[in-house]
Amino acid sequence: MDFGVLLDLYVSFLQVGLFSLGGGFAALPLIEEQIITNREWLTQTEFNDILAISQMTPGPIAINASVFVGTRMAGIPGSIVATLGCVTAPVSISLIMVKLYTKYKSLALMQGVLSCLRPAVVALISVAGLNIFMTAIWDIAPRNLQNLDTAAFVGLFLFVASFFILRKFKLNPVLVMLFAGVTGLVLYFALGIEIV
């Protein structure tokens, strides 16, 4: 067993857990930076596949990503170490913050800090969403309209249709994901179109 890889997994996901203000999708840019940019453990396409799988499995996305990446890099011990790294800081900070918040929640300073963090969380989620969108539509660079092939047009159509259905009809997101998955399978087997 390579303890260097286990240490790298722990430290990488400790950083993700430590700086994932807002949790959930706000953690995506941090996870992406750690596992694609800094460590080069996954490609952007593999990362998007992990995100898709993480969305279909129960639990927070950062925990699911740590389990998948840890398993890929070092098997079951890797998934355990990456998950521990991911939860160490949030659990510790949450325990401290609950104590401080219950004691000082009425202070203007506390409300000011919280109101300043909200826009940063929205920015983190927006950047992650844009990166995922760009990679899902364009599998090749440069990412411009000339590089849109049939699969990219189908992916773009599925995105617009899913967005419209979710916003207009408030349909269950699981049903929308199933619809998109079944559509992708039908297009692949019937027309040979492989969605990127």
Side-chain angles (χ1 to χ4, degrees):
M1 184 181 307
D2 188 357
F3 289 104
V5 172
L6 293 177
L7 182 62
D8 286 345
L9 282 167
Y10 183 82
V11 169
S12 293
F13 281 98
L14 178 68
Q15 291 174 22
V16 169
L18 184 60
F19 296 108
S20 295
L21 298 175
F25 291 104
L28 290 181
L30 301 169
I31 298 170
E32 186 176 357
E33 180 181 356
Q34 286 297 323
I35 67 174
I36 296 173
T37 307
N38 293 352
R39 305 289 185 180
E40 297 180 353
W41 286 332
L42 299 175
T43 66
Q44 184 68 48
T45 303
E46 291 170 324
F47 178 70
N48 287 349
D49 292 342
I50 282 180
L51 288 180
I53 294 168
S54 295
Q55 289 303 319
M56 293 185 288
T57 54
I61 193 163
I63 299 294
N64 291 344
S66 67
V67 169
F68 288 118
V69 173
T71 302
R72 174 155 184 196
M73 297 309 299
I76 300 293
S79 70
I80 293 169
V81 167
T83 303
L84 286 175
C86 194
V87 300
T88 300
V91 167
S92 303
I93 292 170
S94 293
L95 291 173
I96 294 167
M97 292 301 289
V98 164
K99 184 73 174 167
L100 291 174
Y101 182 73
T102 55
K103 189 172 183 179
Y104 300 111
K105 65 182 172 186
S106 60
L107 288 179
L109 176 65
M110 178 69 79
Q111 295 304 317
V113 168
L114 293 174
S115 66
C116 288
L117 286 175
R118 288 183 199 115
V121 170
V122 170
L124 286 169
I125 294 170
S126 300
V127 166
L130 184 60
N131 285 341
I132 293 167
F133 173 78
M134 297 292 280
T135 306
I137 302 302
W138 288 278
D139 200 27
I140 55 174
R143 293 178 172 151
N144 57 36
L145 293 177
Q146 286 78 23
N147 282 340
L148 281 176
D149 57 2
T150 305
F153 275 114
V154 172
L156 190 57
F157 170 77
L158 285 174
F159 167 77
V160 171
S162 298
F163 186 82
F164 177 76
I165 290 168
L166 286 168
R167 296 296 294 171
K168 178 77 173 164
F169 300 109
K170 308 286 190 229
L171 208 59
N172 186 327
V174 173
L175 294 175
V176 176
M177 288 189 331
L178 286 172
F179 161 75
V182 168
T183 303
L185 279 174
V186 168
L187 290 172
Y188 178 75
F189 286 115
L191 304 175
I193 299 174
E194 186 174 344
I195 311 298
V196 291

